[in-house]
Amino acid sequence: MANDLTVIIDTGCANLSSVRFAFERLNANVIVSADFGVIRSAARVVLPGVGTAGAAMAALKQKNLVELIKSLTQPVMGVCLGMQMLASLSNEHGGRSEQSITCLGLVPTDIGDLDSKGLPLPHMGWNQIEVSDHPLFVGIENGSYVYFVHSYRAPISEYTLARSTYGESFSAAIGKGNFFGVQFHPEKSAKVGAKILQNFLNMGTPQ
């Protein structure tokens, strides 16, 4: 039988249970692992993230996962901070220094502060998205609501796959090639989030 495994990368600094449970509700064959061979052979890979970009990138480097992730050719989806880690740089340094954090550089955009124009930060709660025709958003209507928790964002660019507005318009999803990510939490976004996760599972299904 063809390998239809979904691997959530064990970054060592994220609570991965809610993401894993969301996939399990869709009857996906999903595990959490930092094993190089397991990740490399998976049908699709999820890069989760919580906390700051500085801490998350440090965790990936500690586990020697940076070059492995860059070498993957199957669909790879970043979730929340995991999406931001796909970018080139982030100014979310977590107080360790004033320098920007070098991220994975897989989607050439930079992560900066969300200009909420006076609205409370973090941007937390349900908000609407406008989607593209990317396979991740098959069957998702413009104006659908998803759940956000963030204070940093990717700007609107040619790599924007979906957008939302909180003060400013920002990228709710970005992508390039087989690497893409969502700023919101699909595992907390009810039926819309479940549909997006199912679309992701469909993208890596063995032929």
Side-chain angles (χ1 to χ4, degrees):
M1 180 179 172
N3 172 23
D4 193 28
L5 181 65
T6 301
V7 173
I8 301 171
I9 296 178
D10 185 357
T11 56
C13 66
N15 177 9
L16 309 176
S17 298
S18 60
V19 177
R20 179 167 58 85
F21 291 153
F23 280 112
E24 289 177 347
R25 287 194 293 270
L26 298 170
N27 297 313
N29 179 17
V30 59
I31 63 170
V32 176
S33 179
D35 182 275
F36 285 23
V38 172
I39 295 169
R40 195 172 278 120
S41 64
R44 63 197 71 79
V45 175
V46 178
L47 178 62
V50 296
T52 66
M57 286 304 302
L60 290 184
K61 290 174 183 175
Q62 184 178 9
K63 290 174 175 275
N64 296 314
L65 287 167
V66 171
E67 293 308 316
L68 173 68
I69 293 169
K70 289 182 178 182
S71 73
L72 297 176
T73 57
Q74 63 270 66
V76 178
M77 180 173 68
V79 175
C80 198
L81 179 61
M83 181 207 85
Q84 297 184 6
M85 290 160 65
L86 297 175
S88 300
L89 295 171
S90 172
N91 68 354
E92 188 185 13
H93 40 69
R96 296 183 177 197
S97 72
E98 293 303 316
Q99 294 181 325
S100 293
I101 299 299
T102 299
C103 298
L104 293 169
L106 294 163
V107 182
T109 187
D110 294 344
I111 305 300
D113 297 78
L114 176 64
D115 181 5
S116 66
K117 303 191 186 308
L119 295 171
L121 287 172
H123 170 212
M124 183 166 63
W126 296 89
N127 204 345
Q128 292 175 290
I129 54 173
E130 295 177 32
V131 300
S132 65
D133 59 359
H134 190 274
L136 199 59
F137 298 109
V138 171
I140 303 298
E141 296 181 1
N142 281 330
S144 294
Y145 281 88
V146 293
Y147 192 84
F148 290 91
V149 182
H150 66 116
S151 298
Y152 295 81
R153 57 84 180 111
I156 301 296
S157 73
E158 64 184 287
Y159 304 104
T160 298
L161 302 179
R163 66 175 64 203
S164 187
T165 301
Y166 186 77
E168 67 170 329
S169 291
F170 63 90
S171 293
I174 59 173
K176 182 184 179 185
N178 62 305
F179 294 96
F180 44 89
V182 294
Q183 180 61 70
F184 52 89
H185 287 271
E187 78 280 9
K188 298 179 181 178
S189 297
K191 289 183 178 180
V192 171
K195 174 62 175 170
I196 290 169
L197 294 180
Q198 184 61 60
N199 286 341
F200 175 62
L201 292 173
N202 294 345
M203 291 172 64
T205 301
Q207 301 300 310

